[in-house]
Amino acid sequence: MKKSLRLTESAVMLALGFILSLLKVVDMPYGGSVTALSMLPVIIIAFRYKTVWGLFVGFVASILQMMMGVENFTYAGISIGAAIAVIMLDYVVAFTAMGLGGVFRGAIKDQGIALASGALVACVIRFICHVISGCTVWAGVSIPTSDGLLYSLAYNCTYMIPETLLTVVGAYFAGKVFTITAEEVKRVPLETGGLKNVLSAIPTVLGVVISFAFICGMMQSEDGVFDITALADKGIGDWMGVIIMLIIGIAATIIIRTFAFKDKKETA
């Protein structure tokens, strides 16, 4: 019964993650994108059923992602050796890393922090894989050969930083709201302090995500080609969208933390 439940839950979460990966907040050329928490379902399964099973589910997720990104293997300049490197770095290792979402289970008592920490590890490993792939395989294909590491860092930061922020905040919230490691997952009420932390972080996270979307747009030419040097030609007017969204997000966070959930004694 437990094995059947584990298989069923894993299949459902794999399907959910795949569907969420299609909901793109930011869509970059050559495969990069910010998605609607697409990594979180597998990370939760890894936390619930521990690392070995999590890595297996993450590997299955990597195959699904590779099938969805098969067009990346059609770009000119991709040799057989390069294609193997793309398979391993951009898909297999990058997405199997989601199985590390439960590495802090038991090591950190607070379930929300433990799940968020595991999510951060998974996202960082995925980022490193994409950067290595970018400055090696994709150098001369989608990014310049010269300064390949700089371009790869810039390109992958534009979508992986907001993707990481969304995933970590989502993981923290899930860890606080649900009894993930219990045999029967239930919803638990958030304490005022935890709810305040989650809600106050959301505006800043959204501000950063939208700001990176603006930056992403400024680094793409009309035909969709990524060009980091385009930022040098932008004036203050082009950066206003980024600045305004960051200010709004931070201001909203400060307001929530300052005025929301006041102690009843203070308001009496």
Side-chain angles (χ1 to χ4, degrees):
M1 182 62 182
K2 289 184 178 180
K3 289 184 179 180
S4 298
L5 179 62
R6 183 175 64 179
L7 285 170
T8 302
E9 289 181 352
S10 300
V12 170
M13 296 300 260
L14 274 170
L16 177 59
F18 184 78
I19 292 171
L20 291 175
S21 70
L22 301 176
L23 303 178
K24 299 179 180 180
V25 181
V26 178
D27 195 10
M28 295 282 286
Y30 309 108
S33 61
V34 180
T35 63
L37 301 174
S38 64
M39 296 177 66
L40 188 55
V42 175
I43 289 172
I44 289 175
I45 283 295
F47 193 88
R48 179 165 169 77
Y49 291 111
K50 300 183 180 180
T51 302
V52 174
W53 182 257
L55 289 172
F56 170 71
V57 177
F59 174 74
V60 175
S62 74
I63 301 302
L64 293 175
Q65 289 296 321
M66 184 170 58
M67 292 171 61
M68 189 170 64
V70 68
E71 70 276 2
N72 290 329
F73 298 99
T74 64
Y75 292 118
I78 297 296
S79 63
I80 294 178
I84 294 174
V86 170
I87 290 173
M88 296 305 298
L89 289 170
D90 282 329
Y91 294 103
V92 175
V93 179
F95 288 96
T96 299
M98 294 187 292
L100 298 175
V103 290
F104 293 104
R105 173 180 170 174
I108 299 177
K109 292 182 179 180
D110 187 301
Q111 184 177 256
I113 296 177
L115 185 58
S117 299
L120 179 61
V121 169
C123 289
V124 169
I125 292 176
R126 178 184 166 186
F127 172 72
I128 292 172
C129 287
H130 291 325
V131 169
I132 294 173
S133 175
C135 65
T136 54
V137 178
W138 296 106
V141 179
S142 61
I143 61 175
T145 302
S146 60
D147 298 322
L149 178 59
L150 174 63
Y151 270 76
S152 184
L153 282 168
Y155 176 85
N156 288 290
C157 277
T158 54
Y159 69 93
M160 277 307 301
I161 288 180
E163 179 84 4
T164 299
L165 286 171
L166 287 172
T167 303
V168 170
V169 172
Y172 178 80
F173 185 76
K176 285 293 188 180
V177 173
F178 300 102
T179 56
I180 298 175
T181 57
E183 184 174 347
E184 182 180 353
V185 178
K186 295 181 180 180
R187 184 180 180 279
V188 294
L190 266 176
E191 296 179 359
T192 302
L195 181 60
K196 184 177 180 179
N197 289 334
V198 172
L199 292 181
S200 63
I202 290 175
T204 296
V205 171
L206 291 178
V208 171
V209 171
I210 296 173
S211 296
F212 270 87
F214 283 135
I215 295 173
C216 170
M218 290 192 290
M219 289 194 295
Q220 291 188 55
S221 62
E222 294 182 358
D223 56 357
V225 177
F226 175 76
D227 182 13
I228 188 177
T229 60
L231 293 177
D233 300 325
K234 303 299 180 181
I236 186 64
D238 298 304
W239 286 94
M240 284 306 295
V242 176
I243 296 170
I244 290 173
M245 290 311 306
L246 285 175
I247 292 175
I248 292 175
I250 294 172
T253 291
I254 293 174
I255 291 171
I256 291 174
R257 292 196 66 85
T258 304
F259 300 104
F261 310 109
K262 280 189 174 182
D263 189 10
K264 293 181 180 180
K265 292 182 180 179
E266 295 180 8
T267 57

